[in-house]
Every structure is written in C-alpha cells, then in structure tokens.
Amino acid sequence: LFLAGVAGSILVSSKADFTSIPKYLVEHPYSVWFVGPLFASITGVGFKEGVCYNKKSAFALSVLTPFLLLLHLSNLADLRFESGLLVAWMAIFCTFALGKYDQPIHEDLGDKSVFEFLALSEEKQQEFLRERERLEQDR
C-alpha cells in the first residue's frame, strides 16, 4: 500500500496545475484516491502498534487518518475544520514517531517464536507449555 501511495503521489505531482501535494489535494478532493494507499499503510501501522503495544497515539492515528481522508473526499466539512483535524493528526503523528525513537528494536520487530507457537496444533502447544513448565521447575 505504501508504494501504491508513493506512486499516486508521483502521479499527482505530474499534473499540469500541480504546485504541491497538499495544495493539490485541497483543490482536487478526488485525488485522495491516488495518495490514499499511503495513508492506509499508516492506518495499518497505527492499528498494529495500538493493539500490540497499547499506544494511545497509534490508536488515534488508526481512527483519525481514515476519518480525515474520507471527510475531505466527501466534502462534508469546511476547510477550517479539516485544517484543525490535520493539525491534530500531525501532532499525534509526531507523538507516535517520537515514541518509536526510544523503543528497543527487538520490540519493534517482534518475536517470531510467537507466530511459530501459534502455528502449532493445540496438542503441540500444550506439549510445549508442559515442557517449558517442567524446565522452569528444574531451575
């Protein structure tokens, strides 16, 4: 999705009346369809971070990003309201990004063993847990 959004941004920037992507989006709301996949990927990352790490800024991004884009696409709000939401979105995104800065890399990449465990059958999972418990008791 990210690459599709980048490609859409390049397409938008090639238009004859292009000055900047934000200005073009304001003047041509339908162009959200071109850059939208980029923001869909941000929404997905926000959802994952919110669920995995319970980050409030990530949850806010996963809700506010599609809301803001759909609001602009549908022309249901005036420019002042959209601008206020955009400022809030930018502040939340900066908070989210700053929180990622001091997060240990191993937490961000995740633990592959969790997915390997979940791929096991119920019986194999129980067997694995019993073995781990036995090892813990032997210590």
Side-chain angles (χ1 to χ4, degrees):
L1 284 176
F2 179 80
L3 292 177
V6 169
S9 298
I10 292 168
L11 179 70
V12 165
S13 64
S14 69
K15 300 292 183 180
D17 58 343
F18 175 78
T19 53
S20 73
I21 291 177
K23 185 174 183 195
Y24 193 85
L25 289 172
V26 167
E27 295 169 353
H28 305 90
Y30 66 87
S31 59
V32 166
W33 289 110
F34 298 112
V35 299
L38 177 84
F39 293 99
S41 67
I42 291 172
T43 300
V45 168
F47 183 78
K48 185 219 38 124
E49 293 287 322
V51 169
C52 292
Y53 303 112
N54 200 24
K55 293 184 177 179
K56 290 176 181 32
S57 61
F59 276 126
L61 278 178
S62 66
V63 172
L64 191 55
T65 302
F67 178 73
L68 183 59
L69 292 175
L70 291 172
L71 193 64
H72 181 69
L73 185 63
S74 65
N75 281 323
L76 290 176
D78 66 345
L79 190 55
R80 290 172 85 132
F81 183 73
E82 284 184 17
S83 297
L85 280 179
L86 186 58
V87 167
W89 185 90
M90 289 187 299
I92 293 167
F93 187 82
C94 287
T95 303
F96 171 72
L98 287 172
K100 296 294 288 174
Y101 181 74
D102 65 352
Q103 181 178 1
I105 291 175
H106 70 276
E107 284 184 12
D108 197 30
L109 296 178
D111 183 357
K112 188 172 117 178
S113 66
V114 172
F115 298 104
E116 291 169 346
F117 176 79
L118 292 174
L120 296 173
S121 68
E122 181 76 26
E123 182 180 307
K124 293 282 187 186
Q125 287 179 0
Q126 293 303 320
E127 182 181 316
F128 177 82
L129 292 173
R130 282 191 298 274
E131 180 63 22
R132 295 263 324 221
E133 190 174 293
R134 186 187 64 74
L135 291 173
E136 287 293 320
Q137 289 175 352
D138 289 348
R139 283 188 186 179

